Amino acid sequence: MDKTMLEKVGDEQQLYTARQYRLCGGKADGMRMIELKSFAGLRAEIAADRCMDLYRLEYKGVNLGYMTAAGMVSSKYYQSEDFLRSFTAGFFTTCGLKNVGAGCVDLGEEAVVHGRIGNTPADRVNVDVVEEDGKTILTASGVMREAIIFGEKLELKRKITMDARSAYIRISDTVTNFGGETQPLELLYHMNMGYPLLDAFSEITIPAEKTSARDARAQEGIEDWMYFCEPVSGFAEQCYDHVLYKKDGKSAVMIFNPKLNIGVVIELLSDTLDHFTEWKMPGVKDYVLGLEPGNANVLGRAAMRESGELKFIEPGEKVHFELGIRIIDGNYEYETAKRRIFELAR
């Protein structure tokens, strides 16, 4: 942080924030939370008791994500057979590690809807402020385990970083198989765009070389996958699989609201994120656009195995996933970001 700026404050929290706290009341009572806030106006609330997921993301007071009617729900209320009752969404929910999407039975094993990792509290939680290459970096990290005797032994180590002077946040995840058997590995970042960022006139940029509908319902709207609308009562969700153009294993997508002059670029920074799902849901009170990078589609593990696309992680193996979230402010940044996105598509 600039020395002149530091000379003008008593406590550096005048410039940025990195802190832990707990929630009180209702189904969120007692939950550990982390707040990272940059001088540029980017504020993130991270749910340490829900896989270090990014529950709230705001820029200059404008909300960017979607929160379900369930509100913030502690993982102690999670029931795999009733997943949506505790699905808070937020800016993103982590799905995996052995299944994403539809529940199914795979080789005699029940693979629950969107897996269990998103409802796993973090261990070894750490919040810090560090200096790196002349920059002040806000950090939050934690470790989640999905493990059982006679079964999988997987660990997800997550680190979230934010430059104290910018509107950029990075998520770095490493999954380790610390058991003795090969295991299926599915991971998806269920990233949920919400109002007021998401609106009928929001512009969606997904540079895809191929787009396919998940089912007949989605096929009905495949010509309009890139457009959103006002809330529609009784709308049935539509999902699309996009094969993104990549350059050096990297790609990016964007949503931009021209009335607010604010947008979000999601950067896929590791070649392990080789699938991308769009969840289109302009329902009344269920008004959300999912932009979801991962290593699998959302048809469930059995379908991925049948198609030959299912990924595995060997004993002792580590698999890294990384993505960035960049805030776009104004038309110039929008045009610049759009040009860079399509440069990755060449």
Side-chain angles (χ1 to χ4, degrees):
M1 188 63 70
D2 184 83
K3 180 181 178 182
T4 303
M5 295 175 66
L6 293 175
E7 290 176 347
K8 296 177 180 178
V9 302
D11 189 321
E12 293 174 17
Q13 289 194 77
Q14 288 180 241
L15 305 175
Y16 56 79
T17 303
R19 63 174 184 143
Q20 299 185 61
Y21 57 97
R22 289 186 183 270
L23 299 179
C24 297
K27 290 186 176 180
D29 192 58
M31 287 185 64
R32 297 172 298 163
M33 301 293 292
I34 298 165
E35 180 185 28
L36 303 181
K37 184 179 180 181
S38 77
F39 184 69
L42 183 61
R43 176 174 178 265
E45 284 187 300
I46 299 160
D49 282 330
R50 291 189 61 125
C51 195
M52 299 289 293
D53 279 345
L54 188 47
Y55 177 62
R56 184 189 298 270
L57 191 66
E58 296 177 353
Y59 178 65
K60 295 181 177 179
V62 177
N63 176 63
L64 305 174
Y66 170 73
M67 303 166 190
T68 71
M72 177 59 91
V73 181
S74 168
S75 56
K76 66 186 178 183
Y77 293 100
Y78 168 66
Q79 295 178 315
S80 62
E81 67 276 10
D82 204 4
F83 171 82
L84 293 178
R85 291 287 176 183
S86 60
F87 179 54
T88 66
F91 191 82
F92 80 72
T93 292
T94 307
C95 302
L97 292 168
K98 293 190 67 180
N99 189 55
V100 303
C104 61
V105 176
D106 178 47
L107 300 185
E109 179 185 0
E110 181 184 8
V112 301
V113 175
H114 277 318
R116 295 183 171 87
I117 198 67
N119 284 278
T120 303
D123 194 11
R124 306 205 300 271
V125 173
N126 184 62
V127 180
D128 204 355
V129 180
V130 298
E131 297 294 325
E132 294 181 358
D133 301 323
K135 295 181 179 180
T136 301
I137 306 297
L138 317 179
T139 72
S141 61
V143 178
M144 287 66 62
R145 277 193 172 184
E146 184 173 329
I148 187 172
I149 191 170
F150 310 134
E152 73 273 7
K153 294 167 180 61
L154 303 175
E155 180 180 87
L156 169 61
K157 182 176 291 185
R158 171 164 291 170
K159 184 176 184 180
I160 300 174
T161 57
M162 179 189 294
D163 186 331
R165 294 199 65 174
S166 78
Y168 183 74
I169 190 166
R170 183 180 294 242
I171 297 92
S172 299
D173 286 347
T174 300
V175 179
T176 302
N177 180 353
F178 65 95
E181 299 179 359
T182 301
Q183 295 291 339
L185 175 61
E186 294 197 335
L187 182 67
L188 178 133
Y189 298 90
H190 204 301
M191 309 186 83
N192 310 292
M193 308 302 109
Y195 182 82
L197 171 66
L198 177 66
D199 216 327
F201 39 77
S202 296
E203 300 174 7
I204 303 161
T205 302
I206 302 176
E209 57 179 288
K210 180 182 178 182
T211 296
S212 56
R214 181 182 67 175
D215 52 25
R217 166 60 186 149
Q219 186 63 38
E220 295 172 7
I222 197 166
E223 298 300 323
D224 297 318
W225 64 259
M226 70 293 294
Y227 302 113
F228 225 69
C229 61
E230 296 291 346
V232 178
S233 181
F235 189 92
E237 64 181 8
Q238 295 171 318
C239 283
Y240 301 97
D241 293 315
H242 299 284
V243 178
L244 301 183
Y245 286 102
K246 288 179 176 286
K247 186 174 183 179
D248 299 327
K250 300 178 181 179
S251 56
V253 304
M254 177 171 61
I255 177 173
F256 183 75
N257 185 315
K259 289 192 175 181
L260 297 175
N261 259 344
I262 291 175
V264 173
V265 174
I266 300 169
E267 302 173 342
L268 285 65
L269 301 175
S270 56
D271 56 11
T272 47
L273 296 170
D274 57 357
H275 283 70
F276 192 87
T277 300
E278 176 194 357
W279 173 42
K280 186 175 179 180
M281 184 59 221
V284 174
K285 302 293 286 185
D286 300 325
Y287 194 75
V288 55
L289 172 69
L291 300 176
E292 306 173 13
N295 76 337
N297 63 35
V298 294
L299 295 178
R301 194 172 85 204
M304 289 292 288
R305 187 187 297 275
E306 184 177 350
S307 70
E309 298 179 88
L310 182 61
K311 311 279 196 318
F312 296 89
I313 183 168
E314 302 296 328
E317 185 180 1
K318 298 178 184 290
V319 180
H320 185 69
F321 303 88
E322 188 162 1
L323 53 85
I325 301 164
R326 186 179 303 279
I327 307 303
I328 301 301
D329 190 340
N331 286 324
Y332 175 77
E333 289 190 8
Y334 168 67
E335 294 297 337
T336 301
K338 194 167 187 176
R339 183 173 65 252
R340 288 174 177 169
I341 286 173
F342 281 103
E343 284 176 354
L344 291 174
R346 291 176 183 172

